[in-house]
Amino acid sequence: MNNSRDYIAVIGGGPAGLAAALSAVNAGCNRILLIERDRELGGILNQCVHDGFGTLGLGRSLTGPEYAAHYIDEVIKKPEIEIVSNTAVLSLKKNRRIIAVNQSGLLDIKPSAVILAMGCRERSRFQTVIPGFRPAGIFTAGTVQRLINIEGMLPGEKVVVLGSGDIGMIMARRLTLEGAEVRGVFEIAPRPGGLTRNIVQCLYDYNIPLHLSHTVTFIHGKKRIEGVTIAPVDQNLNPLSDKEFDVECDTLVLSVGLIPENELSREAGVELDPLTGGPFVDQHMATSVPGIYAGGNVVHVYDLVDYVTGSADKAGLGAADYIKKKLKKGSARLLPGFNVAHVIPQYLSLPLEQTLEIFLRVKEPAENVKIRLSCREQFIFEKKERIVRPSEMIKVKIPLDFINSIQRNDQITVSVE
């Protein structure tokens, strides 16, 4: 690869990277370099054998590999996209210089635009600070998923799951189907962390107990985990030590949250939102660094893969427009208001030219609410919503007529009341 201009480098060959590369080509970019650290494209989808992928974007319920194949088949048909797999990106600078390495040696390039599509990773035991010994038998839910679905290995027979994220609940069901005894899913929060459909289909349908407001306070066992101590927590999430009890197990599965992977973003000087862990972006998924775009779970952790590829579509289109010098001028700020944990995008590049799509999560569940956008102390948009939950992302489309009065430096507050 030479250092010629007018091409886009996409870092990550999962669903976001695949969608971003296709979108950029369809927008007129004639050269894409798709860099993937694994041997195969598809990312985490390759180990997700359950269905439910693509129901919104493709109108079909596919397994993870089927959903990935849909995009991979399209990518390999595009001569404009050069795939560089088994390649790890070591460095990304603010001027978009990329240093990567593979078996052929170092790759030193400077594309005219970069799309960040590195996805996210799981929180580990040590990030959740669980006291106890360090025996074998403690896995993240994603590792268990890979062991069973890719490697054909059952990690244990008596299992405790900590955290009620979607992957954890899906793996609780998978472990049960493979003959393991899942002794319970324990969630420190007073409400489940995953989608309602997974609570019903993965736990209730298989009689797997869900214990809210409980956490693991100690791990027992020297060579192999022998059990855990569980305690209920108070409203401040402090364990109630006088109510602790022990649960025998040989496996502890952690499903305690996901973190957007942004080490490269930080090195490049991309400004990160402390509320999401991902870059600040505008409606085109442009980051704070000119020419660097971001899409998918690297921005914030979406609950549906269709939203991941949807955001990456925007990043691909935005990067292609950047190359064509179709730059926007001026920006306004979107801010989380009452009962809103965070909102994406955080910035609006002006002038607005089409329907605006925003994503948000609420802090607390509520019923019969109104999602409101206010600017200069006036409501500019309002939408009713019957039920909102922190575990489920809310997508709102705002017609241009409601927002075309937004001006440079305006602050628009998004609230759920």
Side-chain angles (χ1 to χ4, degrees):
M1 172 64 65
N2 58 41
N3 285 337
S4 64
R5 296 186 61 81
D6 294 339
Y7 73 95
I8 297 172
V10 181
I11 303 177
L18 293 166
L22 283 171
S23 175
V25 169
N26 293 333
C29 182
N30 57 19
R31 194 178 182 199
I32 308 289
L33 186 66
L34 179 57
I35 306 172
E36 165 58 35
R37 64 187 170 192
D38 208 341
R39 291 174 299 178
E40 300 172 348
L41 299 175
I44 196 70
L45 289 174
N46 292 325
Q47 65 185 54
C48 301
V49 300
H50 56 280
D51 65 1
F53 298 90
T55 53
L56 295 181
L58 303 180
R60 293 177 287 167
S61 182
L62 305 174
T63 65
E66 289 172 336
Y67 188 86
H70 169 83
Y71 282 91
I72 293 171
D73 290 346
E74 292 300 313
V75 163
I76 60 179
K77 292 177 184 175
K78 302 290 186 184
E80 300 92 341
I81 302 175
E82 179 183 351
I83 301 168
V84 184
S85 58
N86 254 341
T87 302
V89 175
L90 304 178
S91 174
L92 172 64
K93 300 299 183 184
K94 195 167 188 175
N95 63 359
R96 302 187 297 281
R97 183 187 179 193
I98 293 174
I99 305 292
V101 64
N102 57 28
Q103 291 181 331
S104 300
L106 281 178
L107 191 68
D108 186 348
I109 59 175
K110 188 181 176 186
S112 42
V114 174
I115 299 176
L116 307 173
M118 296 87 75
C120 58
R121 63 171 178 266
E122 296 174 281
R123 292 182 187 275
S124 69
R125 171 194 175 178
F126 297 102
Q127 289 164 319
T128 50
V129 195
I130 305 173
F133 299 104
R134 298 183 178 182
I138 304 170
F139 306 93
T140 64
T143 301
V144 172
Q145 188 177 52
R146 180 172 182 86
L147 287 173
I148 296 177
N149 295 345
I150 302 294
E151 310 295 341
M153 298 171 61
L154 188 63
E157 297 178 347
K158 295 181 180 179
V159 181
V160 165
V161 180
L162 176 61
S164 58
D166 288 312
I167 304 176
M169 291 192 287
I170 290 168
M171 292 321 299
R173 177 180 62 182
R174 190 79 171 96
L175 286 158
T176 301
L177 288 170
E178 293 298 330
E181 178 189 355
V182 179
R183 314 208 65 181
V185 174
F186 297 89
E187 169 60 56
I188 191 171
R191 65 184 72 88
L195 297 171
T196 302
R197 74 181 188 192
N198 285 330
I199 299 168
V200 175
Q201 296 173 3
C202 299
L203 301 186
Y204 295 168
D205 286 356
Y206 290 84
N207 297 316
I208 299 171
L210 171 62
H211 303 273
L212 301 175
S213 298
H214 283 71
T215 191
V216 173
T217 57
F218 200 86
I219 295 172
H220 302 274
K222 293 292 180 66
K223 293 184 179 179
R224 175 82 190 198
I225 183 171
E226 297 172 355
V228 293
T229 297
I230 302 285
V233 299
D234 62 20
Q235 59 183 2
N236 297 317
L237 306 183
N238 296 313
L240 302 172
S241 57
D242 59 329
K243 296 182 180 179
E244 286 182 337
F245 58 93
D246 292 335
V247 177
E248 180 186 355
C249 65
D250 62 15
T251 303
L252 174 63
V253 178
L254 303 178
S255 180
V256 290
L258 300 166
I259 307 170
E261 285 208 16
N262 278 293
E263 285 74 13
L264 292 174
S265 311
R266 290 189 186 90
E267 183 188 3
V270 171
E271 188 180 3
L272 301 182
D273 184 347
L275 298 179
T276 64
F280 285 105
V281 292
D282 71 0
Q283 73 270 32
H284 308 294
M285 310 308 287
T287 71
S288 60
V289 176
I292 298 182
Y293 290 72
N297 286 334
V298 76
V299 177
H300 70 146
V301 179
Y302 291 90
D303 54 356
L304 297 174
V305 72
D306 298 292
Y307 293 159
V308 169
T309 50
S311 72
D313 282 341
K314 297 176 188 173
L317 183 61
D321 282 349
Y322 177 83
I323 290 178
K324 298 173 190 172
K325 313 301 180 187
K326 293 181 179 178
L327 302 178
K328 309 294 181 182
K329 295 182 179 180
S331 65
R333 183 78 160 88
L334 275 175
L335 296 167
F338 181 79
N339 199 23
V340 174
H342 65 258
V343 60
I344 301 292
Q346 299 93 339
Y347 287 95
L348 300 177
S349 290
L350 304 177
L352 297 170
E353 298 174 339
Q354 58 188 8
T355 297
L356 175 65
E357 190 175 82
I358 67 172
F359 289 88
L360 61 100
R361 284 187 189 272
V362 295
K363 295 178 179 177
E364 299 292 337
E367 297 183 5
N368 299 317
V369 297
K370 292 179 180 177
I371 300 171
R372 286 173 165 164
L373 271 67
S374 59
C375 178
R376 285 174 260 148
E377 300 182 349
Q378 290 186 336
F379 293 125
I380 59 174
F381 178 79
E382 185 175 276
K383 178 180 182 295
K384 294 181 180 178
E385 198 74 32
R386 192 169 67 85
I387 299 175
V388 294
R389 301 182 179 94
S391 60
E392 297 178 3
M393 191 154 286
I394 302 170
K395 175 182 173 181
V396 184
K397 287 188 174 181
I398 306 162
L400 183 60
D401 289 345
F402 291 89
I403 49 178
N404 56 12
S405 63
I406 293 175
Q407 301 175 8
R408 181 184 175 91
N409 297 326
D410 272 347
Q411 293 193 338
I412 302 97
T413 301
V414 183
S415 59
V416 177
E417 302 172 1

